[in-house]
Amino acid sequence: MATRLAVSRCGPLPAAARRSPLVSCRRWFGASADTVYDVVVSGGGMVGAAMACALGHDIHFHDKKILLLEAGPKKVLEKLPETYSNRVSSISPGSATLLSSFGAWDHICNMRYRAFRRMQVWDGCSEALIMFDKDNLDDMGYIVENDVIMNALTKQLEAVSDRVTVLYRSKAVGYSWPGPFSMADSSPWVHITLGDGSTLQTTLLIGADGHNSGVRQAAGIQNVSWNYDQSAVVATLHLSELSDTLSSLVWSTSHDHAAQLVSMDKEEFVDAINSAFWSDANHTDFIGSAGSMLQYAVALLKPSKVSARQLPPSVAKVDAKSRVLFPLGLGHAAEYVRPRVALIGDAAHRVHPLAGQGVNMGFGDISSLLHHLSTAAFSGKDLGSMSHLTGYETDRQRHNTALLAATDLLKRLYSTSATPLVLLRTWGLQVTNAVSPLKVRGH
Amino acid sequence: MLYGLDFNGCVSSHSCNVLSSSALTPEGLVCSNSQLIWTLQSKPWVFDEYRTMWFKSCRMTFLSLNRMKSYWQLWTRLYSTSQTTVDSNEVKTFLAMAHKWWDEEGMFAPLHSMNDLRVPFIRDNLLKTVANHHPGKPLSGMKILDVGCGGGLLTEPLGRLGASVFGIDPVDENIKTAQHHKAFDPVLDKRIEYRVCSLEEIVEETEETFDAVIASEVVEHVADLETFIQCCRQVLKPTGSLFITTINKTQLSYALGIVFAEQIAGIVPKGTHTWEKFVSPEKLESILESNGLSVQTVAGMLYNPFSGYWHWNENTSLNYAAHAVKSMVPDHSGPAEVVFKGETEEPQAEVSTIPGVHGELKK
């Protein structure tokens, strides 16, 4: 057992290997660990790794000990693969600022990413569309492959390895919280039991372990969730306009249709996409005339510059083996914090990908929690104290709840072809397109 | 006064009597003592009986003196009224609440929350005195004395910021709680040291040792403020800082600090404060200045009982914080030659230099 431990851990980081003989001794003799970590982040995905990275690079954490627990193996990207990965994220400018604050954005720029300046949303049942673009030349967002982000984060974690320890292939199987105050003799720290039986102690546990969060379940935090009867199909497409244009597709549809899409062959899939974009099958005359009426009214009231209206794309082919499907749902934790626990990312909120907001909400959580923890550390506070954790919770719940509700509403609105709702959303789109402040707020 | 001495002597030996029959903790001593005081105050005819008991007890005292030596020493230290700044009644009050220090939502919640103001206040004023600091451990290399540290609520954050902190408190249970709490954190365990004692007891051994002395929520509990401040000055290094937070003596502080906070709302445990011992910033400033401590800042603090947070305020009529720096002049200077004058001394100096005017006014 002990040798196996040593072998599996001597790869990634020397710090981890140095620790492993001690860990196995503790297991045999049952003595409590002598290191109390200041922060343990459970879950090494994009949000968890970014949290550990941000803490490690924060100036007030120079003297602290941070641990990142990741159940999977370390992913090393030797060379950027030729083919694009099918899992990409839309990174907002705010998230890009966070990533550049600890140097990860530079790595991403050196690998690959694509900035976009305009977003256009078509309605499948009418001619209405909504267009987001910025008047100035700022980028609206960036499309980056998830593997590229993870690689950049891993590099930056290694840069602060004296403060941040990463344990790969370490899954936490149990968490125990300190007893109520009256039990004065019990340890006031959180105890984490790993799969190999070793235990860790920490003053603050951050749960970044996805929408089926083990931390959230162990803390007994209620989670409001429902599954959409939809799945998402992701694929990498080649568009026909320009020869070198690759595009990423996320198609949310019913479970059956999604299963069909994934299993059909490439040509059929391309046809399916094109017909979805171009088809008039769901357009009705009623909606068409109602829509153009409002458009005329809007043009009278508010003559605006009309940006070139882009037609829906036509797809030439799809990359081999790039089609994957995953189920969709919504989730929101009733509380983001408890004494000595904080939830970030999908553990706190799970959202439909239609607005491209999921990982950006996670990065927003990181910015807020980092700010509160940094101030607390500079005041010598116990990091697990509720007084600053509730500040983080208030900040983020206010922001996330509104966004979650809006995304859910949009999803429901766009899932139907019933005429009244289609009319509502057609007019809604046109009005929103005309009224700029709404667009800015939504973005 | 002989009555008083007899009374004290009577009490002590009676307590020893009780002690010899069963092993009592200091808390037990407290109970028997207060009962006796109450009896004597309300039933003076009982005094004759106690006088006879006193003779008997004296003999028993000598017999059991060796065994009771440690308790005796502790007790006389706490009860001698002339050479100490520790007030015995205050000790009793805090003894009862000793184990509740670390409940952040319990009775000491306002003190926990006050750290959001006092730690940055101390930290920022100390950082002004250094050219550059270690990121992550801004106070490393500094030696700080926390007088009246209680359960260590302020001591631990200062330790986390890298300072070596020495926390003292006259209440044994408080230090026990503080030591127990810091033992869980290996980093703090090395940086903080606690001791049960009063400030006067360590003045000789720690002369000019500390970069900063903190007396937070303490000066309103001491018996002799002048002596206390002198002792603070003695243990400070030259140009060391003294930080005090306390409560002003105003009608408002009586209404809000005693009547509302203690008796009505229960924000502060009943009996914690005595309004007569509150210190106004003017009085504090004059004592500080006359003892060679130059006052740098006085700022008001306000507690919002609904939100549970403290805020800085212009108004010092309730709580306030003060920062003073030990000046370089020797501290034996009299009022005539003192360089930093308090408010009350200036008019006298002026009058004495213009005797002609003074004489004319008299006419």
Side-chain angles (χ1 to χ4, degrees):
Chain A
M1 259 313 209
T3 28
R4 185 165 70 80
L5 254 173
V7 165
S8 71
R9 296 227 182 115
C10 73
L13 291 159
R18 251 186 275 128
R19 202 166 272 124
S20 51
L22 272 171
V23 167
S24 39
C25 280
R26 271 182 225 118
R27 198 153 41 84
W28 294 125
F29 297 113
S32 59
D34 54 0
T35 328
V36 177
Y37 286 97
D38 295 286
V39 183
V40 167
V41 182
S42 181
M46 278 195 288
V47 174
M51 181 86 241
C53 221
L55 286 173
H57 286 262
D58 185 87
I59 191 167
H60 298 129
F61 273 77
H62 272 227
D63 198 37
K64 307 273 186 216
K65 294 181 284 293
I66 302 155
L67 180 71
L68 176 63
L69 287 175
E70 165 55 27
K74 181 173 182 181
K75 291 177 203 155
V76 181
L77 208 64
E78 295 296 339
K79 196 173 75 80
L80 208 54
E82 295 270 324
T83 49
Y84 281 76
S85 155
N86 55 7
R87 295 303 303 272
V88 298
S89 297
S90 156
I91 303 292
S92 69
S95 302
T97 312
L98 173 70
L99 289 169
S100 64
S101 73
F102 48 81
W105 191 248
D106 291 331
H107 293 303
I108 292 172
C109 292
N110 292 335
M111 285 186 271
R112 67 179 166 227
Y113 75 105
R114 183 66 71 139
F116 63 92
R117 300 219 166 91
R118 200 203 299 185
M119 194 198 310
Q120 193 161 314
V121 182
W122 293 267
D123 188 330
C125 296
S126 74
E127 292 294 313
L129 65 85
I130 185 166
M131 190 146 53
F132 295 94
D133 70 24
K134 286 203 167 171
D135 291 331
N136 44 20
L137 293 172
D138 282 351
D139 296 324
M140 194 182 261
Y142 310 92
I143 304 287
V144 191
E145 290 153 276
N146 291 357
D147 288 341
V148 168
I149 300 176
M150 274 314 301
N151 195 24
L153 291 173
T154 312
K155 281 204 190 124
Q156 285 308 96
L157 280 173
E158 281 166 13
V160 284
S161 56
D162 53 336
R163 299 190 268 286
V164 184
T165 313
V166 188
L167 290 183
Y168 291 98
R169 296 183 200 278
S170 307
K171 191 169 162 62
V173 296
Y175 303 98
S176 76
W177 270 270
F181 176 72
S182 52
M183 292 162 54
D185 277 333
S186 59
S187 160
W189 314 131
V190 181
H191 288 253
I192 304 166
T193 317
L194 299 180
D196 59 13
S198 56
T199 55
L200 305 162
Q201 295 182 87
T202 179
T203 60
L204 174 65
L205 172 65
I206 299 183
D209 43 354
H211 65 261
N212 284 325
S213 168
V215 173
R216 188 187 65 221
Q217 282 160 21
I221 295 176
Q222 295 274 45
N223 190 41
V224 174
S225 73
W226 52 81
N227 287 316
Y228 294 127
D229 49 6
Q230 279 197 338
S231 292
V233 175
V234 291
T236 313
L237 312 171
H238 292 259
L239 300 182
S240 50
E241 269 103 54
L242 299 158
S243 55
D244 67 346
T245 309
L246 279 172
S247 192
S248 190
L249 171 81
V250 179
W251 187 345
S252 320
T253 182
S254 68
H255 292 306
D256 298 329
H257 190 215
Q260 271 178 4
L261 287 171
V262 170
S263 54
M264 58 175 67
D265 58 343
K266 289 195 283 188
E267 288 76 26
E268 273 190 77
F269 185 66
V270 171
D271 287 338
I273 301 176
N274 280 326
S275 65
F277 271 127
W278 289 95
S279 151
D280 282 9
N282 284 325
H283 291 208
T284 61
D285 287 335
F286 174 67
I287 299 289
S289 40
S292 37
M293 220 170 55
L294 183 62
Q295 193 61 36
Y296 186 60
V298 165
L300 275 177
L301 289 168
K302 187 182 180 286
S304 58
K305 61 160 179 59
V306 179
S307 318
R309 182 198 165 120
Q310 192 166 349
L311 295 167
S314 46
V315 180
K317 68 178 171 80
V318 62
D319 260 1
K321 295 202 193 107
S322 73
R323 281 179 280 164
V324 177
L325 81 80
F326 56 91
L328 296 177
L330 177 138
H332 195 223
E335 301 160 83
Y336 285 10
V337 298
R338 280 272 172 93
R340 306 206 180 282
V341 187
L343 300 175
I344 57 173
D346 278 5
H349 42 74
R350 180 190 180 196
V351 75
H352 196 280
L354 72 85
Q357 291 305 307
V359 79
N360 293 311
M361 282 163 80
F363 286 138
D365 291 347
I366 294 175
S367 297
S368 173
L369 187 56
L370 179 68
H371 167 75
H372 283 96
L373 288 180
S374 186
T375 316
F378 193 42
S379 300
K381 277 171 98 165
D382 177 347
L383 291 176
S385 161
M386 278 298 267
S387 61
H388 53 268
L389 291 179
T390 45
Y392 154 72
E393 184 184 56
T394 313
D395 273 352
R396 292 309 294 170
Q397 277 194 332
R398 244 182 235 154
H399 179 275
N400 292 342
T401 313
L403 202 50
L404 270 169
T407 314
D408 190 57
L409 180 65
L410 275 178
K411 182 259 165 207
R412 288 176 196 282
L413 200 54
Y414 276 86
S415 300
T416 177
S417 50
T419 310
L421 285 169
V422 173
L423 186 63
L424 186 67
R425 77 191 188 209
T426 305
W427 279 349
L429 255 191
Q430 288 174 323
V431 168
T432 312
N433 197 33
V435 182
S436 329
L438 266 179
K439 281 201 287 190
V440 171
R441 186 76 190 89
H443 191 260
Chain B
M1 189 170 119
L2 198 62
Y3 177 87
L5 271 170
D6 272 355
F7 179 70
N8 271 336
C10 174
V11 164
S12 308
S13 50
H14 179 74
S15 311
C16 276
N17 223 353
V18 179
L19 262 183
S20 56
S21 50
S22 58
L24 273 178
T25 62
E27 282 168 72
L29 277 170
V30 174
C31 295
S32 61
N33 208 9
S34 52
Q35 281 167 14
L36 191 57
I37 295 170
W38 174 82
T39 314
L40 282 168
Q41 281 172 344
S42 54
K43 300 177 192 169
W45 59 86
V46 172
F47 183 63
D48 283 328
E49 289 182 32
Y50 275 90
R51 203 172 36 188
T52 26
M53 271 178 67
W54 181 58
F55 287 111
K56 286 189 200 165
S57 308
C58 267
R59 262 180 278 138
M60 290 203 62
T61 302
F62 281 109
L63 289 172
S64 58
L65 196 58
N66 282 334
R67 201 153 34 104
M68 296 301 119
K69 213 175 187 181
S70 53
Y71 287 97
W72 180 264
Q73 276 172 350
L74 172 68
W75 214 233
T76 46
R77 230 185 307 155
L78 289 171
Y79 268 79
S80 63
T81 47
S82 51
Q83 285 95 29
T84 183
T85 55
V86 174
D87 185 329
S88 51
N89 291 317
E90 305 277 4
V91 169
K92 264 182 274 165
T93 315
F94 279 100
L95 210 49
M97 320 185 241
H99 61 288
K100 300 204 182 128
W101 284 102
W102 286 98
D103 185 359
E104 280 188 34
E105 264 112 69
M107 62 160 70
F108 289 112
L111 270 183
H112 278 274
S113 159
M114 202 198 272
N115 277 345
D116 289 343
L117 288 192
R118 21 179 208 180
V119 176
F121 182 65
I122 296 167
R123 174 198 75 208
D124 294 340
N125 281 306
L126 286 178
L127 285 179
K128 279 186 211 165
T129 63
V130 291
N132 47 15
H133 62 90
H134 188 294
K137 283 193 289 190
L139 298 181
S140 74
M142 298 220 181
K143 286 181 129 153
I144 301 182
L145 172 68
D146 187 2
V147 184
C149 62
L153 262 55
L154 181 54
T155 328
E156 286 199 9
L158 293 172
R160 275 196 204 98
L161 290 178
S164 300
V165 197
F166 184 39
I168 62 172
D169 199 274
V171 181
D172 187 48
E173 283 302 307
N174 287 350
I175 295 292
K176 272 201 210 145
T177 309
Q179 263 167 341
H180 180 72
H181 194 267
K182 74 148 181 160
F184 288 117
D185 187 334
V187 170
L188 286 182
D189 213 6
K190 282 186 270 195
R191 290 191 190 149
I192 301 176
E193 196 198 320
Y194 287 116
R195 201 192 290 185
V196 182
C197 60
S198 67
L199 180 57
E200 307 80 64
E201 284 157 34
I202 56 157
V203 162
E204 274 131 42
E205 72 183 82
T206 57
E207 183 116 10
E208 297 211 347
T209 320
F210 296 105
D211 295 282
V213 171
I214 324 258
S216 179
E217 306 302 300
V218 164
V219 300
E220 71 266 25
H221 297 285
V222 299
D224 181 355
L225 184 56
E226 187 84 36
T227 316
F228 183 80
I229 299 290
Q230 279 163 6
C231 292
C232 287
R233 189 186 193 281
Q234 269 180 277
V235 302
L236 271 175
K237 283 184 187 163
T239 71
S241 288
L242 173 61
F243 295 95
I244 292 177
T245 77
T246 187
I247 309 179
N248 197 348
K249 189 176 182 180
T250 58
Q251 288 184 333
L252 192 63
S253 69
Y254 183 74
L256 288 181
I258 308 270
V259 176
F260 181 74
E262 284 187 22
Q263 288 156 15
I264 299 176
I267 299 169
V268 176
K270 274 205 186 104
T272 305
H273 292 127
T274 321
W275 187 77
E276 288 71 24
K277 293 174 79 175
F278 286 173
V279 182
S280 74
E282 294 78 29
K283 180 178 171 199
L284 184 66
E285 262 187 89
S286 75
I287 299 180
L288 287 170
E289 297 280 357
S290 65
N291 282 292
L293 290 155
S294 153
V295 177
Q296 307 290 307
T297 320
V298 175
M301 307 196 293
L302 190 63
Y303 180 64
N304 180 343
F306 304 107
S307 71
Y309 289 110
W310 288 84
H311 304 276
W312 290 114
N313 206 305
E314 304 267 299
N315 192 338
T316 55
S317 51
L318 283 170
N319 297 72
Y320 65 95
H323 171 219
V325 172
K326 178 170 172 176
S327 56
M328 297 298 276
V329 296
D331 59 339
H332 56 262
S333 53
E337 14 164 352
V338 77
V339 179
F340 302 101
K341 292 183 183 160
E343 290 166 350
T344 47
E345 288 161 347
E346 276 184 29
Q348 285 171 13
E350 280 177 347
V351 168
S352 63
T353 52
I354 324 166
V357 174
H358 186 65
E360 282 200 37
L361 280 171
K362 255 186 163 176
K363 287 182 212 162

